[in-house]
Amino acid sequence: MPEPSSPSVVRVPVEERLFSLVLALVATETGLTKNEILSTVQGYRQRYKPGGDNASLERQFERDKDDIRDLGIPMETVESPGEQGNNQLLRYRISKGEYDLPADITFSAQEITLLGLAATVWRQGSLSAESQRALLKLRSLGIPSDDPVIGYAPRLRTRESSFEPLRTALERHSIVTFTYLKPGDAAPRLRSVSPLALVQHRGRWHLYGIDNDLGARRTFLLARIVGTPRSTSRTFAPPEGGGFADRALAELDALWRSQRATVRVVAGSDAETRLSKRPDSSRDLDGVLTLHYTDVDILADELASFGPEVEALSPGDLRAAVIKRLTMLVHAHSTGSRE
């Protein structure tokens, strides 16, 4: 007879667990022992086994302590009276006086909401530490957020693995090399670039720099970098004048405004809802949408993802690119169904 399965354990997101731990340690004056934390704090108590083996949970707590301290939060340990040297009875706390904002700084509910939204923008890599620290501190203030906008949180994601190496090279003025695959090329080509700026335009990250092989400034889409960029031992002096990020964004904006596509969408479809909300889009009396775009291949990928809900009308290279993608998709499905 099979043994009854144990109830599933609810997994608590790491951000919620860290926040709950910070909140608990701020709220106590005398501190909490490890056992008290593991048995009562959200994110630990769900996995705590009274009298059982909690070794993995204790290791999780040790990692969380390091994470909290890395975020700049002043976490203290206090020995219990008469139990000096007994690590099992060490008490943990966060001094509210050291963690509080200065007394002369206050925020309204609306300001807390806006600051919270800003803190959630950066979510990955080394950029997350600052936002995590800010967000934990904002929440611990205990001021209610402004409800009408709390459901909206803009996010700038640095999903591309190439972002951090490029940012480091940018700060050090190091020349970088990477392989880059342009649409239409059979294989990626090695590039040598002096990085001048990293910018996000219309939700996508770009590197603006000097292509050393061409001796000219170019903009590279991070999503098309293959592998990890490598910093060389060579450095460079940036051109005089500065303002490279503004210049890169101005060029991308000009390209966006100058390129237009027309598409026909199925009324009431997901494609109509999403495409009609693109910035600067417009609709004529026949229901045809005019869209601005920066890169024809990126737009073709987006349009093809809607399948029969969209027909690309112009320009011709966009229409051909969408048809090519849909044809490849049909062929892939038909081939897979015969295997």
Side-chain angles (χ1 to χ4, degrees), residues 12-28:
V12 177
V14 61
E15 295 88 352
E16 183 177 344
R17 186 179 69 243
L18 290 177
F19 171 61
S20 299
L21 177 57
V22 169
L23 197 61
L25 297 182
V26 168
T28 177

Side-chain angles (χ1 to χ4, degrees), residues 272-335:
E272 180 188 41
T273 301
R274 293 179 180 274
L275 294 176
S276 62
K277 292 182 178 180
R278 282 172 60 96
D280 306 320
S281 64
S282 61
R283 186 196 304 265
D284 65 15
L285 296 177
D286 296 326
V288 173
L289 292 176
T290 297
L291 309 174
H292 290 263
Y293 65 96
T294 306
D295 187 289
V296 67
D297 288 281
I298 291 176
L299 180 58
D301 288 340
E302 182 179 359
L303 297 181
S305 70
F306 292 113
E309 295 181 359
V310 174
E311 179 188 3
L313 303 177
S314 68
D317 57 345
L318 172 66
R319 180 177 175 86
V322 173
I323 292 174
K324 179 181 178 180
R325 284 158 173 75
L326 294 175
T327 302
M328 291 173 62
L329 182 63
V330 171
H331 177 71
H333 277 279
S334 61
T335 301

Side-chain angles (χ1 to χ4, degrees), residues 52-91:
D53 182 8
N54 293 293
S56 63
L57 199 58
E58 291 185 14
R59 289 193 294 270
Q60 178 69 72
F61 173 64
E62 294 301 320
R63 291 193 295 270
D64 288 348
K65 284 196 304 180
D66 292 337
D67 287 343
I68 286 177
R69 286 170 173 145
D70 287 344
L71 290 171
I73 299 174
M75 185 174 179
E76 302 175 345
T77 55
V78 181
E79 291 186 330
S80 298
E83 297 289 346
Q84 285 77 9
N86 188 341
N87 291 336
Q88 293 300 316
L89 294 180
L90 277 178
R91 309 186 75 83

Side-chain angles (χ1 to χ4, degrees), residues 106-121:
T106 58
F107 296 109
S108 67
Q110 185 178 20
E111 288 170 334
I112 286 288
T113 297
L114 294 175
L115 289 169
L117 291 176
T120 61
V121 166

Side-chain angles (χ1 to χ4, degrees), residues 34-275:
K34 182 190 296 185
N35 192 62
E36 290 171 337
I37 290 170
L38 300 184
S39 62
T40 61
V41 174
Q42 174 79 349
Y44 301 106
R45 62 180 177 81
Q46 287 85 350
R47 298 164 51 201
Y48 180 72
K49 301 173 184 176
D53 182 8
N54 293 293
S56 63
L57 199 58
E58 291 185 14
R59 289 193 294 270
Q60 178 69 72
F61 173 64
E62 294 301 320
R63 291 193 295 270
D64 288 348
K65 284 196 304 180
D66 292 337
D67 287 343
I68 286 177
R69 286 170 173 145
D70 287 344
L71 290 171
I73 299 174
M75 185 174 179
E76 302 175 345
T77 55
V78 181
E79 291 186 330
S80 298
E83 297 289 346
Q84 285 77 9
N86 188 341
N87 291 336
Q88 293 300 316
L89 294 180
L90 277 178
R91 309 186 75 83
Y92 300 89
R93 70 180 181 185
I94 294 173
S95 174
K96 200 169 187 301
E98 292 186 26
Y99 190 53
D100 276 350
L101 289 172
D104 59 342
I105 297 179
T106 58
F107 296 109
S108 67
Q110 185 178 20
E111 288 170 334
I112 286 288
T113 297
L114 294 175
L115 289 169
L117 291 176
T120 61
V121 166
W122 293 106
R123 283 291 191 183
Q124 298 196 10
S126 62
L127 299 172
S128 64
E130 290 82 359
S131 65
Q132 284 277 59
R133 179 169 60 248
L135 195 55
L136 286 172
K137 178 163 287 192
L138 288 170
R139 287 175 174 171
S140 71
L141 292 175
I143 302 175
S145 296
D146 203 21
D147 290 337
V149 296
I150 195 61
Y152 174 74
R155 295 187 180 184
L156 302 176
R157 295 189 178 272
T158 58
R159 293 174 184 264
E160 292 85 358
S161 59
S162 58
F163 182 92
E164 189 58 31
L166 290 174
R167 191 181 73 146
T168 301
L170 180 65
E171 293 173 349
R172 297 175 179 175
H173 303 309
S174 299
I175 294 176
V176 292
T177 60
F178 53 81
T179 49
Y180 191 75
L181 183 61
K182 287 182 62 177
D185 287 354
R189 186 164 65 88
L190 184 65
R191 302 294 186 98
S192 171
V193 177
S194 301
L196 300 176
L198 280 166
V199 297
Q200 192 192 60
H201 185 265
R202 306 295 178 182
R204 298 181 184 276
W205 283 99
H206 300 75
L207 170 68
Y208 180 71
I210 301 172
D211 187 320
N212 295 313
D213 296 325
L214 300 177
R217 297 184 188 184
R218 292 289 185 268
T219 301
F220 302 90
L221 187 65
L222 264 61
R224 290 185 179 141
I225 294 178
V226 180
T228 303
R230 296 183 179 276
S231 291
T232 69
S233 58
R234 294 176 295 155
T235 59
F236 69 98
E240 295 182 2
F244 303 120
D246 290 339
R247 194 171 310 172
L249 289 172
E251 291 179 4
L252 290 168
D253 277 334
L255 187 60
W256 169 274
R257 290 191 299 268
S258 67
Q259 299 191 134
R260 293 179 176 84
T262 56
V263 300
R264 182 177 285 113
V265 295
V266 175
S269 65
D270 183 50
E272 180 188 41
T273 301
R274 293 179 180 274
L275 294 176

